[in-house]
Amino acid sequence: MRQLIAAGNWKMNLTYQEGLALAEAIHNAQRAEDILVILGTPAIHLAGVSEILKDSKQVKVAAQNCHKEEKGAYTGNISVGMIRSTGADYVILGHSERREYHGETDALIAEKIKLVLSYGLKPIYCCGEKLPVREAGKHIDLVAQQVTEGLFHLSAEDFQKVIIAYEPVWAIGTGVTASPEQAQDMHRCIRTLIADKYGAAIADSTSILYGGSVKPKNAKELFAQPDVDGGLVGGASLKADSFVAIINSF
Ligand code: 13P
């Protein structure tokens, strides 16, 4: 059975102190036991949050990005080695905000994924279409292309360490959530694509998360879909009560 996951993406929110307090509150909250919780914090927060969660088997830490080079003259950037040294286990890659505001391409993200895996960290690979693409009926083709170009260079062994997050861009931060049927349709297509490439057993064990205006009020219906294995949550992950409500929605 595949792992169910509630992941938070704090984006560029929360001071260091606010971040530590939120991590502490989630760590101490009454949570469903079999759900893996991942906190995607700003780089500045990684070490402090990892320290709070160092004995937790259920709550893990993710960076939101990394540079494609291992080290060097890249002012302001964060390397994979730095991320690993904080105690974080995951790196979110290919988020639509990175694609949109920093021009990240599938090819660049594919390189970062390889590097992250070579450091023993696990990627959370984001994909998803913008509204005009969906309106043109091309969303499945586009996401298939993102998944193929971003991930299918990996060996089967490495691919099994990847978490996929389908985040339709039109649903991010808009309050317009994909319907459970829209999410299920896309997740099913992604899983079929994985099965064609790596076989049914690997496809069945890959966690595919939905992201885009996941809230306590809609999480249960989304997570009830057979191919939706959890969520990547932005706004609603910034407060302990709403994020814990989402964690407890499976
Ligand atoms: P919201 O939950 O705020 O829509 O953000 C989703 C997201 O981008 C998570 O990575």
Side-chain angles (χ1 to χ4, degrees):
M1 198 41 213
R2 52 189 172 258
Q3 178 67 57
L4 301 175
I5 301 170
N9 177 5
W10 295 357
K11 306 191 181 183
M12 197 175 74
N13 294 295
L14 307 176
T15 64
Y16 184 64
Q17 288 75 15
E18 288 166 345
L20 296 192
L22 178 57
E24 191 84 52
I26 290 162
H27 183 45
N28 294 329
Q30 208 67 39
R31 284 177 282 103
E33 277 190 2
D34 50 346
I35 309 302
L36 174 63
V37 177
I38 302 174
L39 305 182
T41 83
I44 292 270
H45 302 44
L46 288 171
V49 170
S50 294
E51 177 62 25
I52 289 170
L53 300 172
K54 65 176 187 294
D55 298 323
S56 177
K57 289 202 163 46
Q58 256 186 291
V59 189
K60 301 290 179 189
V61 185
Q64 298 174 9
N65 180 40
C66 67
H67 198 269
K68 76 175 170 71
E69 301 295 339
E70 290 182 81
K71 62 166 77 166
Y74 301 102
T75 302
N77 277 295
I78 312 286
S79 77
V80 173
M82 293 172 198
I83 292 169
R84 187 174 66 182
S85 72
T86 67
D89 289 312
Y90 295 87
V91 184
I92 298 171
L93 288 170
H95 193 281
S96 62
E97 288 148 18
R98 299 287 321 169
R99 293 177 188 263
E100 179 74 14
Y101 306 137
H102 301 272
E104 295 203 4
T105 60
D106 290 332
L108 172 72
I109 301 158
E111 270 188 72
K112 293 188 187 189
I113 285 178
K114 250 193 138 45
L115 185 64
V116 161
L117 286 163
S118 76
Y119 273 72
L121 299 175
K122 294 177 194 155
I124 302 173
Y125 178 66
C126 303
C127 54
E129 81 287 356
K130 293 184 187 173
L131 189 56
V133 175
R134 178 164 281 264
E135 286 173 342
K138 300 245 161 51
H139 47 293
I140 289 177
D141 289 347
L142 181 99
V143 171
Q145 184 188 332
Q146 290 174 332
V147 170
T148 303
E149 292 182 5
L151 296 176
F152 283 2
H153 59 294
L154 297 176
S155 67
E157 191 190 343
D158 272 347
F159 182 82
Q160 291 177 78
K161 297 169 189 149
V162 175
I163 298 167
I164 295 176
Y166 167 58
E167 299 204 304
V169 180
W170 47 270
I172 295 177
T174 58
V176 181
T177 315
S179 70
E181 294 72 28
Q182 286 172 322
Q184 168 58 24
D185 278 355
M186 183 62 84
H187 285 221
R188 179 95 291 252
C189 290
I190 295 171
R191 204 176 303 285
T192 303
L193 204 63
I194 300 168
D196 290 345
K197 170 76 180 170
Y198 294 105
I202 290 180
D204 277 344
S205 64
T206 303
S207 298
I208 307 177
L209 314 183
Y210 167 79
S213 298
V214 176
K215 307 288 176 199
K217 65 173 190 303
N218 58 33
K220 209 176 188 66
E221 235 192 324
L222 287 161
F223 298 170
Q225 301 304 308
D227 288 292
V228 177
D229 307 311
L232 180 55
V233 185
S237 75
L238 297 175
K239 293 226 162 72
D241 55 355
S242 56
F243 191 50
V244 170
I246 290 170
I247 296 167
N248 291 332
S249 293
F250 288 89

